[in-house]
């Protein structure tokens, strides 16, 4: 049962910010050390981790956008500080808040006391930090949601930050999707190489085959396939990614086998591919577009060809598809997630036969851990490249996502499907999984 500390009795005067915080936590027990610009504090004095509310503007951000969006605004703008953790990896703070805090909407009498204490002026919305995207309802100038123009703008917001910045965070593989760790102690590079190996083997690719990789990023899968004799075409909406990928292909001497195009996957004209890989694209296309998406990918395959769909999912198929405020406004505008059941259903409904699926959520938590480690190690260079506020967004986003995968808020599923002929023939697939796990 949720209980709250009672508001200050009549005549007590205004509450301090620390007292307000203690009132809003259902247990009244704040796990971190909290300090505020009014001189008040809460939480254990010997806590190693803490939050510092530095300015009245921070209070306005918190009051006008309760939840993760308000916290993000105050933190990104520099009005809410942290101590005991690096801004490139605030994981320990976020994990403590997730595990031990339970904020609930206060009753009316308590809310009136809070408003009187912070001042009505703190409830007037102010401009958010410039790193924030417009709310969904104001993005109409970019086109209808998941139109080609609006998808291009959403991808530009997230992926065209800076190739140099991504190199600092992602490491030499330049792979911005979940790795697959062959052992717990494997390095990030070993795990990313193993992920590409796993996809390659699941798709039964061999020298001379043709692969289409949609949403190919910096071309990691394309280059892996080409190094193994497969003719691979990748497509990405990010001009920065396409330029980097084409140079990497040329530098590796793979131009006769590999190509990365800047464009929309829906504009690919070729067909009869032996395999299609989609690694981290489905999150961006919109759940209502799944039927046309899987239908398009199915149309690109030859009979007996295989599709590997690798994407972040929700742990069930009932939750709303839209992302939370922070993710939608700072990280993936218009991003949508649903459960693996919906993905499998829509793939089946266009005539694909699903032959295997697996959940790699623990691997994504480990991947995010290693990306945060890279960001911390390269912090000064990262800040010089994109600015302090943007670097803080990335630390917050990746550490928070790690908590999400660890606590089963989100998952990562690979779904493998085959294109059948009119009589149900699958091209002669083996009876059991043919790849090395």
């Amino acid at each position: 049962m949720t209980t709250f500390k009672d508001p200050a009795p009549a005549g007590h005067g205004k509450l301090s910010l620390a007292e307000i915080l203690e009132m809003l936590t259902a247990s009244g027990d704040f796990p971190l050390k909290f300090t505020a610009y009014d001189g008040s504090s809460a939480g254990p004095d010997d806590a190693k981790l803490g939050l510092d509310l530095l300015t009245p503007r921070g209070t306005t951000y918190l009051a006008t956008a309760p939840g993760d969006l308000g916290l993000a605004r105050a933190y990104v703008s520099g009005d809410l500080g942290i101590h005991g953790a690096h801004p490139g990896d605030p994981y320990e703070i976020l994990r403590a808040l997730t595990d031990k805090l339970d904020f609930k909407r206060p009753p009316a009498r308590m809310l009136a006391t809070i408003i009187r204490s912070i001042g009505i002026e703190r409830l007037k919305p102010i401009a958010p930090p410039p790193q924030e995207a417009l709310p969904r309802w104001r993005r109409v100038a970019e086109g209808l949601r998941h139109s080609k123009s609006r998808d291009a703008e959403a991808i530009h917001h997230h992926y065209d930050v800076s190739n140099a910045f991504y190199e600092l965070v992602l490491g030499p593989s330049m792979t911005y999707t979940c790795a697959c760790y062959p052992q717990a102690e494997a390095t990030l590079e070993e795990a990313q190489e193993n992920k590409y190996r796993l996809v390659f083997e699941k798709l039964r690719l061999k020298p001379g085959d043709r692969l289409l990789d949609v949403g190919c990023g910096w071309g990691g899968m394309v280059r892996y396939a080409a190094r193994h004799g497969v003719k691979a075409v990748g497509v990405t909406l990010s001009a920065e990614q396409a330029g980097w990928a084409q140079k990497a292909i040329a530098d590796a001497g793979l131009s006769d086998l590999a190509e990365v195009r800047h464009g929309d996957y829906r504009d690919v004209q070729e067909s009869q591919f032996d395999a299609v890989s989609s690694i981290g694209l489905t999150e961006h296309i919109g759940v209502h577009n799944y039927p046309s998406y899987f239908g398009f990918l199915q149309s690109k395959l030859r009979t007996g060809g295989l599709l590997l769909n690798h994407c972040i999912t929700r742990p069930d198929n009932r939750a709303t598809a839209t992302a939370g405020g922070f993710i939608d406004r700072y990280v993936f505008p218009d991003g949508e997630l649903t459960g693996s059941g919906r993905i499998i259903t829509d793939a089946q409904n266009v005539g694909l036969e699903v032959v295997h699926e697996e959940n790699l959520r623990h691997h994504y938590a480990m991947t995010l851990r290693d990306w945060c480690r890279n960001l911390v190690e390269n912090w000064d260079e990262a800040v010089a490249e994109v600015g302090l506020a943007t670097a803080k967004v990335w630390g917050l986003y990746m550490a928070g996502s790690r908590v999400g995968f660890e606590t089963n808020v989100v998952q990562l599923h690979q779904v493998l499907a085959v294109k059948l002929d009119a009589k149900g023939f699958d091209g002669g697939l083996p009876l059991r999984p043919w790849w090395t796990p």
Side-chain angles (χ1 to χ4, degrees):
M1 178 178 177
T2 299
T3 58
F4 292 92
K5 288 190 172 184
D6 289 332
H12 178 77
K14 292 183 178 180
L15 295 169
S16 71
L17 293 168
E19 288 173 322
I20 292 172
L21 176 65
E22 290 177 330
M23 289 168 55
L24 291 176
T25 54
S27 65
D29 182 19
F30 194 70
L32 311 177
K33 179 66 175 180
F34 171 80
T35 65
Y37 57 86
D38 66 355
S40 63
S41 64
D45 290 333
D46 60 350
K48 296 180 180 179
L49 302 170
L51 298 174
D52 307 301
L53 185 56
L54 303 172
T55 68
R57 183 176 67 174
T59 300
T60 296
Y61 281 139
L62 295 172
T64 55
D68 64 349
L69 182 58
L71 284 167
R73 286 173 173 172
Y75 176 65
V76 171
S77 64
D79 300 297
L80 179 68
I82 62 174
H83 61 264
H86 193 284
D89 187 11
Y91 166 79
E92 295 294 342
I93 287 178
L94 297 177
R95 186 75 207 218
L97 292 172
T98 300
D99 289 346
K100 300 179 181 179
L101 268 192
D102 183 19
F103 287 100
K104 298 292 184 180
R105 182 176 178 84
R109 183 167 65 97
M110 183 184 294
L111 188 60
T113 301
I114 292 171
I115 293 173
R116 185 171 65 250
S117 298
I118 66 172
I120 192 70
E121 67 275 9
R122 297 272 71 86
L123 300 181
K124 182 180 179 181
I126 58 176
Q131 291 73 25
E132 184 172 312
L134 292 172
R136 287 182 179 233
W137 65 272
R138 290 188 59 193
R139 296 175 200 159
V140 291
E142 299 158 4
L144 296 175
R145 189 183 307 173
H146 300 300
S147 64
K148 290 182 179 180
S149 60
R150 183 154 159 180
D151 278 354
E153 180 57 34
I155 293 300
H156 169 73
H157 176 89
H158 187 73
Y159 292 99
D160 289 345
V161 175
S162 159
N163 283 334
F165 175 77
Y166 278 106
E167 289 172 354
L168 296 171
V169 174
L170 304 181
S173 75
M174 282 294 273
T175 300
Y176 186 37
T177 47
C178 175
C180 184
Y181 288 74
Q183 304 89 28
E185 65 276 10
T187 67
L188 175 62
E189 290 306 304
E190 289 169 341
Q192 291 293 14
E193 182 77 0
N194 186 54
K195 185 265 299 295
Y196 288 132
R197 188 273 313 164
L198 179 64
V199 173
F200 188 91
E201 290 186 7
K202 283 184 174 181
L203 291 172
R204 300 190 77 208
L205 288 165
K206 61 185 184 302
D209 281 349
R210 297 170 64 236
L211 169 70
L212 172 63
D213 186 36
V214 295
C216 68
W218 289 271
M221 185 67 213
V222 169
R223 294 195 307 279
Y224 183 95
R227 289 198 302 270
H228 292 80
V230 170
K231 187 171 181 58
V233 175
V235 59
T236 173
L237 277 172
S238 167
E240 293 273 347
Q241 287 181 335
W244 192 100
Q246 280 296 93
K247 183 178 185 302
I249 288 168
D251 290 347
L254 298 172
S255 297
D256 58 332
L257 287 172
E259 174 192 0
V260 168
R261 302 171 184 171
H262 174 220
D264 194 290
Y265 76 92
R266 290 165 285 193
D267 293 332
V268 173
Q269 297 298 311
E270 301 96 319
S271 61
Q272 294 298 303
F273 287 93
D274 297 286
V276 173
S277 53
S278 175
I279 307 174
L281 172 63
T282 318
E283 300 91 331
H284 300 289
I285 66 170
V287 173
H288 72 282
N289 288 325
Y290 282 6
S292 60
Y293 162 74
F294 284 112
F296 180 84
L297 299 186
Q298 192 252 26
S299 75
K300 299 290 112 177
L301 287 166
R302 64 166 175 81
T303 299
L306 289 158
L307 164 68
L308 189 287
N309 195 85
H310 167 122
C311 73
I312 301 170
T313 60
R314 298 202 185 279
D316 61 58
N317 302 283
R318 300 184 302 272
T320 179
T322 55
F326 168 62
I327 294 294
D328 182 62
R329 303 286 280 276
Y330 283 88
V331 185
F332 292 118
D334 291 339
E336 296 181 10
L337 301 178
T338 190
S340 58
R342 175 68 181 271
I343 290 168
I344 290 171
T345 296
D346 284 333
Q348 291 172 327
N349 286 347
V350 301
L352 292 164
E353 180 181 28
V354 173
V355 296
H356 189 267
E357 69 83 26
E358 65 175 310
N359 182 7
L360 300 177
R361 76 173 174 93
H362 294 295
H363 293 263
Y364 216 155
M366 296 165 70
T367 305
L368 289 153
R369 173 202 65 194
D370 290 347
W371 287 341
C372 281
R373 182 181 298 148
N374 285 345
L375 181 56
V376 170
E377 291 177 355
N378 297 293
W379 181 253
D380 291 343
E381 292 177 79
V383 170
E385 181 65 27
V386 299
L388 177 60
T390 297
K392 288 168 67 177
V393 166
W394 277 82
L396 182 63
Y397 145 63
M398 293 191 299
S401 295
R402 177 184 171 187
V403 173
F405 282 102
E406 288 179 346
T407 57
N408 199 33
V409 173
V410 281
Q411 301 177 346
L412 187 289
H413 276 85
Q414 285 191 350
V415 174
L416 181 66
V418 62
K419 180 177 180 177
L420 306 174
D421 71 8
K423 296 184 178 181
F425 180 62
D426 62 10
L429 294 181
L431 294 177
R432 298 288 296 157
W434 50 86
W435 57 88
T436 303

